[in-house]
Amino acid sequence: MTVSLVLVIVMSALYACAVYLLLERSLTRVLLGFLLAGNATNLLIIIMVGEAGLAPIFDPAIAPEEYTDPLPQALVLTAIVITFAVSSFLLALIYRSWRLANADDVSDDADDVALRGGAVLIEAEETAPEASTTDFPHETEPQR
């Protein structure tokens, strides 16, 4: 089993570019990073297969070791479908973000800024349900 060094380098470069793009603030770049990561994963699966063999169609005259394993090809097809579905969802998010805010950047909200500054204690507010708005009985003591 020989693995082409060029394929390993291309796969590594795809993963490096994908991680770089996934860490950006723009949703379009996140989508491109996800697509690169999907292609790099497909290339990784194909690299792990090894040498190509004969088509996996049964013939009694051929030894079983000469066949190519069809499982990695099925995994790549499944990965392609999953990548397409998630990419479609990300495209819908990008389109909706563009229609609402005319931008595809993810901005910080107050909770992000508070978490970046350090641990913040947010007090929880406990309220009892009103008897008129619920069908469940309200008991003051817990059941045993």
Side-chain angles (χ1 to χ4, degrees):
M1 177 173 95
T2 61
V3 176
S4 174
L5 184 62
V6 175
L7 287 178
V8 173
I9 292 172
V10 168
M11 181 203 58
S12 302
L14 283 175
Y15 271 127
C17 292
V19 169
Y20 177 76
L21 288 173
L22 284 170
L23 294 175
E24 292 289 326
R25 305 288 277 180
S26 171
L27 288 176
T28 305
R29 291 184 181 181
V30 170
L31 173 67
L32 292 174
F34 181 76
L35 290 172
L36 284 177
N39 287 331
T41 303
N42 293 341
L43 193 56
L44 173 67
I45 293 171
I46 293 299
I47 288 172
M48 295 304 292
V49 170
E51 293 183 17
L54 299 174
I57 301 172
F58 182 71
D59 185 6
I62 299 174
E65 295 83 25
E66 296 180 24
Y67 290 125
T68 299
D69 187 15
L71 182 63
Q73 297 170 14
L75 290 175
V76 167
L77 286 175
T78 305
I80 290 170
V81 171
I82 292 171
T83 302
F84 177 74
V86 175
S87 300
S88 300
F89 178 70
L90 281 172
L91 275 174
L93 287 178
I94 293 168
Y95 177 74
R96 182 73 174 161
S97 173
W98 184 258
R99 293 286 292 183
L100 291 177
N102 287 337
D104 69 342
D105 291 337
V106 178
S107 60
D108 288 338
D109 58 356
D111 293 332
D112 291 335
V113 173
L115 286 175
R116 191 180 311 133
V120 176
L121 179 62
I122 300 173
E123 295 186 22
E125 183 179 315
E126 293 192 25
T127 59
E130 295 180 22
S132 62
T133 61
T134 181
D135 292 336
F136 300 104
H138 177 66
E139 297 179 7
T140 57
E141 294 183 17
Q143 293 180 351
R144 294 183 188 175

